[in-house]
mmCIF file of all heavy atoms in Angstrom:
data_model
loop_
_atom_site.group_PDB
_atom_site.id
_atom_site.type_symbol
_atom_site.label_atom_id
_atom_site.label_comp_id
_atom_site.label_asym_id
_atom_site.label_seq_id
_atom_site.Cartn_x
_atom_site.Cartn_y
_atom_site.Cartn_z
ATOM 1 N N GLN A 57 -2.999 18.391 -15.219
ATOM 2 C CA GLN A 57 -3.690 19.189 -16.191
ATOM 3 C C GLN A 57 -4.547 20.228 -15.503
ATOM 4 O O GLN A 57 -5.057 20.034 -14.421
ATOM 5 C CB GLN A 57 -4.548 18.295 -17.098
ATOM 6 C CG GLN A 57 -3.680 17.303 -17.868
ATOM 7 C CD GLN A 57 -4.506 16.358 -18.705
ATOM 8 O OE1 GLN A 57 -5.725 16.457 -18.751
ATOM 9 N NE2 GLN A 57 -3.844 15.449 -19.376
ATOM 10 N N ASP A 58 -4.693 21.374 -16.155
ATOM 11 C CA ASP A 58 -5.423 22.490 -15.604
ATOM 12 C C ASP A 58 -6.642 22.729 -16.461
ATOM 13 O O ASP A 58 -6.649 22.427 -17.654
ATOM 14 C CB ASP A 58 -4.515 23.740 -15.625
ATOM 15 C CG ASP A 58 -4.960 24.761 -14.610
ATOM 16 O OD1 ASP A 58 -6.166 25.031 -14.562
ATOM 17 O OD2 ASP A 58 -4.078 25.289 -13.897
ATOM 18 N N THR A 59 -7.670 23.279 -15.847
ATOM 19 C CA THR A 59 -8.875 23.571 -16.612
ATOM 20 C C THR A 59 -8.678 24.800 -17.496
ATOM 21 O O THR A 59 -9.475 25.066 -18.375
ATOM 22 C CB THR A 59 -10.061 23.820 -15.657
ATOM 23 O OG1 THR A 59 -9.706 24.854 -14.737
ATOM 24 C CG2 THR A 59 -10.396 22.546 -14.902
ATOM 25 N N ASP A 60 -7.611 25.577 -17.226
ATOM 26 C CA ASP A 60 -7.354 26.731 -18.065
ATOM 27 C C ASP A 60 -6.947 26.293 -19.459
ATOM 28 O O ASP A 60 -6.406 25.200 -19.664
ATOM 29 C CB ASP A 60 -6.215 27.574 -17.471
ATOM 30 C CG ASP A 60 -6.574 28.134 -16.105
ATOM 31 O OD1 ASP A 60 -7.789 28.231 -15.821
ATOM 32 O OD2 ASP A 60 -5.640 28.457 -15.346
ATOM 33 N N GLN A 61 -7.179 27.187 -20.416
ATOM 34 C CA GLN A 61 -6.767 26.891 -21.787
ATOM 35 C C GLN A 61 -5.253 26.746 -21.828
ATOM 36 O O GLN A 61 -4.516 27.534 -21.244
ATOM 37 C CB GLN A 61 -7.213 28.031 -22.715
ATOM 38 C CG GLN A 61 -6.901 27.766 -24.186
ATOM 39 C CD GLN A 61 -7.430 28.893 -25.063
ATOM 40 O OE1 GLN A 61 -8.033 29.837 -24.559
ATOM 41 N NE2 GLN A 61 -7.203 28.783 -26.346
ATOM 42 N N HIS A 63 -1.408 26.797 -22.963
ATOM 43 C CA HIS A 63 -0.536 27.700 -23.696
ATOM 44 C C HIS A 63 0.793 27.004 -23.942
ATOM 45 O O HIS A 63 1.083 25.963 -23.357
ATOM 46 C CB HIS A 63 -0.331 28.999 -22.917
ATOM 47 C CG HIS A 63 -1.593 29.781 -22.695
ATOM 48 N ND1 HIS A 63 -2.408 29.580 -21.598
ATOM 49 C CD2 HIS A 63 -2.173 30.750 -23.435
ATOM 50 C CE1 HIS A 63 -3.440 30.405 -21.657
ATOM 51 N NE2 HIS A 63 -3.325 31.125 -22.765
ATOM 52 N N GLU A 74 1.657 23.687 -22.076
ATOM 53 C CA GLU A 74 1.900 23.761 -20.643
ATOM 54 C C GLU A 74 1.541 22.464 -19.924
ATOM 55 O O GLU A 74 2.268 21.992 -19.057
ATOM 56 C CB GLU A 74 1.107 24.925 -20.039
ATOM 57 C CG GLU A 74 1.681 26.291 -20.390
ATOM 58 C CD GLU A 74 0.924 27.419 -19.746
ATOM 59 O OE1 GLU A 74 -0.234 27.195 -19.335
ATOM 60 O OE2 GLU A 74 1.482 28.515 -19.648
ATOM 61 N N ASN A 75 0.400 21.870 -20.301
ATOM 62 C CA ASN A 75 0.000 20.611 -19.666
ATOM 63 C C ASN A 75 1.004 19.502 -19.943
ATOM 64 O O ASN A 75 1.275 18.648 -19.094
ATOM 65 C CB ASN A 75 -1.386 20.189 -20.155
ATOM 66 C CG ASN A 75 -2.478 21.123 -19.669
ATOM 67 O OD1 ASN A 75 -2.312 21.812 -18.678
ATOM 68 N ND2 ASN A 75 -3.592 21.154 -20.385
ATOM 69 N N ASP A 188 1.182 20.083 -5.639
ATOM 70 C CA ASP A 188 1.665 20.851 -6.779
ATOM 71 C C ASP A 188 2.019 22.261 -6.324
ATOM 72 O O ASP A 188 1.204 22.938 -5.694
ATOM 73 C CB ASP A 188 0.545 20.890 -7.834
ATOM 74 C CG ASP A 188 0.949 21.560 -9.139
ATOM 75 O OD1 ASP A 188 1.956 22.281 -9.153
ATOM 76 O OD2 ASP A 188 0.230 21.367 -10.135
ATOM 77 N N ALA A 189 3.207 22.734 -6.646
ATOM 78 C CA ALA A 189 3.652 24.066 -6.243
ATOM 79 C C ALA A 189 2.745 25.168 -6.768
ATOM 80 O O ALA A 189 2.662 26.246 -6.175
ATOM 81 C CB ALA A 189 5.080 24.314 -6.728
ATOM 82 N N GLU A 190 2.052 24.894 -7.881
ATOM 83 C CA GLU A 190 1.160 25.894 -8.462
ATOM 84 C C GLU A 190 -0.240 25.856 -7.860
ATOM 85 O O GLU A 190 -1.034 26.781 -8.074
ATOM 86 C CB GLU A 190 1.058 25.684 -9.976
ATOM 87 C CG GLU A 190 2.375 25.873 -10.701
ATOM 88 C CD GLU A 190 2.232 25.646 -12.191
ATOM 89 O OE1 GLU A 190 1.123 25.847 -12.728
ATOM 90 O OE2 GLU A 190 3.229 25.254 -12.839
ATOM 91 N N LYS A 191 -0.547 24.799 -7.109
ATOM 92 C CA LYS A 191 -1.879 24.639 -6.500
ATOM 93 C C LYS A 191 -1.701 23.931 -5.166
ATOM 94 O O LYS A 191 -2.133 22.801 -4.989
ATOM 95 C CB LYS A 191 -2.804 23.835 -7.426
ATOM 96 C CG LYS A 191 -3.096 24.491 -8.761
ATOM 97 C CD LYS A 191 -3.812 23.536 -9.713
ATOM 98 C CE LYS A 191 -2.886 22.453 -10.189
ATOM 99 N NZ LYS A 191 -3.109 22.036 -11.573
ATOM 100 N N LEU A 192 -1.064 24.587 -4.230
ATOM 101 C CA LEU A 192 -0.738 23.946 -2.962
ATOM 102 C C LEU A 192 -1.996 23.586 -2.185
ATOM 103 O O LEU A 192 -2.871 24.437 -1.988
ATOM 104 C CB LEU A 192 0.135 24.876 -2.116
ATOM 105 C CG LEU A 192 1.562 25.105 -2.636
ATOM 106 C CD1 LEU A 192 2.218 26.238 -1.868
ATOM 107 C CD2 LEU A 192 2.393 23.831 -2.542
ATOM 108 N N TYR A 202 9.074 29.641 3.685
ATOM 109 C CA TYR A 202 8.852 28.823 2.488
ATOM 110 C C TYR A 202 10.190 28.730 1.777
ATOM 111 O O TYR A 202 10.817 29.753 1.468
ATOM 112 C CB TYR A 202 7.813 29.495 1.595
ATOM 113 C CG TYR A 202 7.579 28.880 0.216
ATOM 114 C CD1 TYR A 202 6.347 28.316 -0.103
ATOM 115 C CD2 TYR A 202 8.551 28.917 -0.777
ATOM 116 C CE1 TYR A 202 6.103 27.792 -1.374
ATOM 117 C CE2 TYR A 202 8.323 28.383 -2.036
ATOM 118 C CZ TYR A 202 7.095 27.832 -2.333
ATOM 119 O OH TYR A 202 6.860 27.311 -3.594
ATOM 120 N N ILE A 208 12.121 25.421 -8.665
ATOM 121 C CA ILE A 208 11.161 26.350 -9.258
ATOM 122 C C ILE A 208 11.312 26.449 -10.770
ATOM 123 O O ILE A 208 10.349 26.758 -11.481
ATOM 124 C CB ILE A 208 11.252 27.745 -8.597
ATOM 125 C CG1 ILE A 208 9.936 28.506 -8.831
ATOM 126 C CG2 ILE A 208 12.478 28.510 -9.086
ATOM 127 C CD1 ILE A 208 9.735 29.678 -7.917
ATOM 128 N N VAL A 211 8.746 24.115 -12.567
ATOM 129 C CA VAL A 211 7.306 24.312 -12.590
ATOM 130 C C VAL A 211 6.918 24.932 -13.926
ATOM 131 O O VAL A 211 7.716 25.612 -14.579
ATOM 132 C CB VAL A 211 6.811 25.183 -11.415
ATOM 133 C CG1 VAL A 211 7.267 24.614 -10.088
ATOM 134 C CG2 VAL A 211 7.265 26.629 -11.560
ATOM 135 N N THR A 212 5.680 24.691 -14.328
ATOM 136 C CA THR A 212 5.240 25.177 -15.636
ATOM 137 C C THR A 212 5.032 26.684 -15.634
ATOM 138 O O THR A 212 5.442 27.385 -16.563
ATOM 139 C CB THR A 212 3.929 24.466 -16.040
ATOM 140 O OG1 THR A 212 4.169 23.050 -16.037
ATOM 141 C CG2 THR A 212 3.480 24.903 -17.425
ATOM 142 N N ARG A 213 4.394 27.174 -14.600
ATOM 143 C CA ARG A 213 4.092 28.613 -14.512
ATOM 144 C C ARG A 213 4.725 29.145 -13.225
ATOM 145 O O ARG A 213 4.150 29.028 -12.127
ATOM 146 C CB ARG A 213 2.574 28.829 -14.521
ATOM 147 C CG ARG A 213 1.928 28.468 -15.865
ATOM 148 C CD ARG A 213 0.429 28.317 -15.721
ATOM 149 N NE ARG A 213 0.085 27.081 -15.043
ATOM 150 C CZ ARG A 213 -0.449 26.009 -15.646
ATOM 151 N NH1 ARG A 213 -0.714 26.057 -16.929
ATOM 152 N NH2 ARG A 213 -0.723 24.924 -14.953
ATOM 153 N N ILE A 214 5.902 29.723 -13.360
ATOM 154 C CA ILE A 214 6.650 30.215 -12.209
ATOM 155 C C ILE A 214 5.840 31.254 -11.448
ATOM 156 O O ILE A 214 5.844 31.292 -10.205
ATOM 157 C CB ILE A 214 8.003 30.800 -12.656
ATOM 158 C CG1 ILE A 214 8.887 29.685 -13.240
ATOM 159 C CG2 ILE A 214 8.717 31.483 -11.496
ATOM 160 C CD1 ILE A 214 10.167 30.190 -13.876
ATOM 161 N N GLU A 215 5.124 32.101 -12.178
ATOM 162 C CA GLU A 215 4.335 33.148 -11.520
ATOM 163 C C GLU A 215 3.297 32.552 -10.575
ATOM 164 O O GLU A 215 3.067 33.080 -9.475
ATOM 165 C CB GLU A 215 3.646 34.029 -12.566
ATOM 166 C CG GLU A 215 4.604 34.844 -13.428
ATOM 167 C CD GLU A 215 5.081 34.075 -14.658
ATOM 168 O OE1 GLU A 215 4.808 32.842 -14.745
ATOM 169 O OE2 GLU A 215 5.725 34.694 -15.522
ATOM 170 N N LYS A 216 2.661 31.460 -10.993
ATOM 171 C CA LYS A 216 1.657 30.823 -10.135
ATOM 172 C C LYS A 216 2.298 30.229 -8.879
ATOM 173 O O LYS A 216 1.727 30.301 -7.785
ATOM 174 C CB LYS A 216 0.900 29.738 -10.904
ATOM 175 C CG LYS A 216 -0.149 30.278 -11.851
ATOM 176 C CD LYS A 216 -1.073 29.168 -12.332
ATOM 177 C CE LYS A 216 -2.233 29.723 -13.160
ATOM 178 N NZ LYS A 216 -3.192 28.661 -13.561
ATOM 179 N N ALA A 217 3.471 29.636 -9.039
ATOM 180 C CA ALA A 217 4.169 29.079 -7.874
ATOM 181 C C ALA A 217 4.540 30.185 -6.889
ATOM 182 O O ALA A 217 4.421 30.011 -5.673
ATOM 183 C CB ALA A 217 5.414 28.318 -8.326
ATOM 184 N N LEU A 218 4.969 31.331 -7.395
ATOM 185 C CA LEU A 218 5.312 32.452 -6.522
ATOM 186 C C LEU A 218 4.066 33.005 -5.834
ATOM 187 O O LEU A 218 4.099 33.357 -4.649
ATOM 188 C CB LEU A 218 6.003 33.545 -7.328
ATOM 189 C CG LEU A 218 7.406 33.203 -7.848
ATOM 190 C CD1 LEU A 218 7.908 34.288 -8.795
ATOM 191 C CD2 LEU A 218 8.388 32.999 -6.703
ATOM 192 N N ASP A 219 2.962 33.077 -6.572
ATOM 193 C CA ASP A 219 1.706 33.529 -5.964
ATOM 194 C C ASP A 219 1.278 32.593 -4.834
ATOM 195 O O ASP A 219 0.799 33.046 -3.781
ATOM 196 C CB ASP A 219 0.590 33.584 -7.019
ATOM 197 C CG ASP A 219 0.758 34.740 -7.992
ATOM 198 O OD1 ASP A 219 1.523 35.678 -7.696
ATOM 199 O OD2 ASP A 219 0.121 34.698 -9.065
ATOM 200 N N GLU A 220 1.448 31.298 -5.053
ATOM 201 C CA GLU A 220 1.090 30.325 -4.028
ATOM 202 C C GLU A 220 2.013 30.434 -2.816
ATOM 203 O O GLU A 220 1.578 30.298 -1.670
ATOM 204 C CB GLU A 220 1.147 28.906 -4.594
ATOM 205 C CG GLU A 220 -0.059 28.528 -5.423
ATOM 206 C CD GLU A 220 -1.290 28.369 -4.543
ATOM 207 O OE1 GLU A 220 -1.541 27.264 -4.052
ATOM 208 O OE2 GLU A 220 -1.994 29.381 -4.328
ATOM 209 N N ALA A 221 3.284 30.675 -3.066
ATOM 210 C CA ALA A 221 4.219 30.863 -1.960
ATOM 211 C C ALA A 221 3.778 32.041 -1.100
ATOM 212 O O ALA A 221 3.767 31.959 0.142
ATOM 213 C CB ALA A 221 5.629 31.097 -2.492
ATOM 214 N N TYR A 222 3.390 33.127 -1.745
ATOM 215 C CA TYR A 222 2.930 34.310 -1.015
ATOM 216 C C TYR A 222 1.653 33.998 -0.231
ATOM 217 O O TYR A 222 1.511 34.403 0.921
ATOM 218 C CB TYR A 222 2.682 35.450 -2.006
ATOM 219 C CG TYR A 222 2.396 36.776 -1.345
ATOM 220 C CD1 TYR A 222 3.432 37.628 -0.981
ATOM 221 C CD2 TYR A 222 1.089 37.180 -1.079
ATOM 222 C CE1 TYR A 222 3.178 38.853 -0.359
ATOM 223 C CE2 TYR A 222 0.822 38.390 -0.458
ATOM 224 C CZ TYR A 222 1.871 39.221 -0.108
ATOM 225 O OH TYR A 222 1.615 40.428 0.506
ATOM 226 N N ARG A 223 0.753 33.261 -0.850
ATOM 227 C CA ARG A 223 -0.536 32.964 -0.215
ATOM 228 C C ARG A 223 -0.374 32.156 1.065
ATOM 229 O O ARG A 223 -1.015 32.443 2.086
ATOM 230 C CB ARG A 223 -1.437 32.200 -1.197
ATOM 231 C CG ARG A 223 -2.811 31.848 -0.620
ATOM 232 C CD ARG A 223 -3.628 31.032 -1.606
ATOM 233 N NE ARG A 223 -3.080 29.708 -1.852
ATOM 234 C CZ ARG A 223 -3.250 28.672 -1.028
ATOM 235 N NH1 ARG A 223 -3.918 28.808 0.103
ATOM 236 N NH2 ARG A 223 -2.732 27.490 -1.332
ATOM 237 N N VAL A 224 0.474 31.122 1.052
ATOM 238 C CA VAL A 224 0.550 30.211 2.198
ATOM 239 C C VAL A 224 1.430 30.738 3.321
ATOM 240 O O VAL A 224 1.407 30.206 4.430
ATOM 241 C CB VAL A 224 1.022 28.802 1.777
ATOM 242 C CG1 VAL A 224 0.080 28.204 0.739
ATOM 243 C CG2 VAL A 224 2.460 28.821 1.280
ATOM 244 N N MET A 289 10.184 39.143 -10.723
ATOM 245 C CA MET A 289 9.040 38.244 -10.653
ATOM 246 C C MET A 289 8.606 38.021 -9.205
ATOM 247 O O MET A 289 7.405 37.964 -8.904
ATOM 248 C CB MET A 289 9.381 36.904 -11.315
ATOM 249 C CG MET A 289 9.610 36.995 -12.816
ATOM 250 S SD MET A 289 10.239 35.454 -13.521
ATOM 251 C CE MET A 289 8.756 34.429 -13.428
ATOM 252 N N ALA A 293 4.981 39.199 -7.341
ATOM 253 C CA ALA A 293 4.091 38.313 -6.574
ATOM 254 C C ALA A 293 3.671 38.931 -5.248
ATOM 255 O O ALA A 293 2.813 38.374 -4.551
ATOM 256 C CB ALA A 293 4.781 36.971 -6.328
ATOM 257 N N PHE A 295 6.068 40.128 -2.813
ATOM 258 C CA PHE A 295 7.116 40.100 -1.789
ATOM 259 C C PHE A 295 7.874 41.424 -1.752
ATOM 260 O O PHE A 295 8.015 42.114 -2.763
ATOM 261 C CB PHE A 295 8.086 38.945 -2.057
ATOM 262 C CG PHE A 295 7.489 37.587 -1.819
ATOM 263 C CD1 PHE A 295 7.037 36.810 -2.872
ATOM 264 C CD2 PHE A 295 7.365 37.090 -0.538
ATOM 265 C CE1 PHE A 295 6.475 35.559 -2.655
ATOM 266 C CE2 PHE A 295 6.809 35.843 -0.296
ATOM 267 C CZ PHE A 295 6.361 35.077 -1.370
#
Side-chain angles (χ1 to χ4, degrees):
Q57 298 177 2
D58 203 313
T59 55
D60 297 338
Q61 184 177 359
H63 298 89
E74 287 182 341
N75 292 337
D188 185 343
E190 297 180 27
K191 297 170 289 216
L192 291 169
Y202 172 115
I208 202 163
V211 305
T212 303
R213 292 164 286 253
I214 295 172
E215 294 87 351
K216 283 193 173 184
L218 291 172
D219 288 343
E220 281 290 270
Y222 188 87
R223 180 183 67 80
V224 301
M289 294 172 72
F295 290 100

